[in-house]
Amino acid sequence: MAFISFPTSKDIYLEADGKRIAAVESYRAKTTRESRYIEAFGESEPVGTVGGRARHILELSRVVACGETLDFYSLSDFNLVIVRPDKRIIYSGCEWSNITEQANLNDTVLENVTIAAAKRMEMK
């Protein structure tokens, strides 16, 4: 019987300058691509399609700074790293677009962050 492991918050983190700066409990990734039709003169239907640039939008839930206090509002050009059993996914060139803070009495401040990534890489 094969053992399957699922990513946990220690396997999903934000990284800047090669250092782990925040742990992420969960994420949701959405990649869209602009596609265009190829039209030909005299044809009633397109003759094909061409794929365009990919856009990566990620919603991170329960983001907590590792160690020192982290100012998410000044964070720029960072990476999101997701470690899976068979590969590592790295979203690089990240910029935040939305930050929501939430805290309960005697609790750690948790952040929900929406980011846009310039590039997605998979490494085995």
Side-chain angles (χ1 to χ4, degrees):
M1 180 175 192
F3 177 71
I4 299 173
S5 87
F6 294 96
T8 63
S9 60
K10 71 179 178 67
D11 301 318
I12 306 168
Y13 57 91
L14 298 180
E15 177 183 78
D17 298 325
K19 291 189 218 171
R20 187 180 295 217
I21 57 171
V24 179
E25 183 177 283
S26 65
Y27 74 98
R28 180 175 168 222
K30 181 178 180 181
T31 300
T32 58
R33 190 166 91 171
E34 300 170 355
S35 299
R36 296 178 307 180
Y37 291 111
I38 300 172
E39 305 281 340
F41 184 74
E43 296 291 326
S44 61
E45 296 182 359
V47 294
T49 58
V50 175
R53 133 183 18 171
R55 295 175 189 250
H56 310 286
I57 302 296
L58 298 114
E59 296 173 6
L60 312 178
S61 297
R62 299 181 63 96
V63 180
V64 180
C66 294
E68 61 192 52
T69 304
L70 175 65
D71 179 13
F72 285 105
Y73 296 94
S74 65
L75 198 56
S76 180
D77 193 25
F78 56 94
N79 298 334
L80 171 67
V81 180
I82 302 160
V83 180
R84 293 191 178 167
D86 59 337
K87 63 186 164 190
R88 175 181 287 233
I89 301 170
I90 301 172
Y91 290 93
S92 61
C94 295
E95 298 290 336
W96 67 269
S97 62
N98 185 13
I99 297 175
T100 305
E101 294 181 39
Q102 174 184 332
N104 296 322
L105 186 61
N106 298 324
D107 229 355
T108 306
V109 174
L110 302 170
E111 314 262 359
N112 292 327
V113 183
T114 302
I115 62 174
K119 187 175 180 183
R120 180 186 188 274
M121 300 177 287
E122 286 189 19
M123 304 170 74
K124 296 216 179 221

